[in-house]
Amino acid sequence: MLRNGLEPWHLLIVVLVVIVVFGSKKLPDTARALGKSMRILKSEAKAMKDEGAPEHAAANPSQAATAPVEPAATAR
């Protein structure tokens, strides 16, 4: 029944309905807001992914520079 659910003419109808509902004057603002929302979502998802990743000294040089340095053991 829904084997070919989304055909090109379906997309055309959806675009026409969106233009009629929102009007051509509001579409640029709506697209801009949608793009901004997508960028925020992408950056938040990346931050969550980075937060869960294990920390390595080579990956984060600022921590390696601030880590205390222990004196080397001298052989007697």
Side-chain angles (χ1 to χ4, degrees), residues 6-28:
L6 194 61
E7 294 181 9
W9 64 273
H10 288 126
L11 294 174
L12 181 64
I13 291 173
V14 169
V15 168
L16 289 174
V17 168
V18 167
I19 289 173
V20 168
V21 169
F22 292 109
S24 61
K25 291 183 180 182
K26 290 187 180 182
L27 282 179

Side-chain angles (χ1 to χ4, degrees), residues 21-39:
V21 169
F22 292 109
S24 61
K25 291 183 180 182
K26 290 187 180 182
L27 282 179
D29 295 333
T30 305
R32 194 173 300 116
L34 180 63
K36 186 175 180 181
S37 299
M38 291 301 294
R39 280 191 298 273

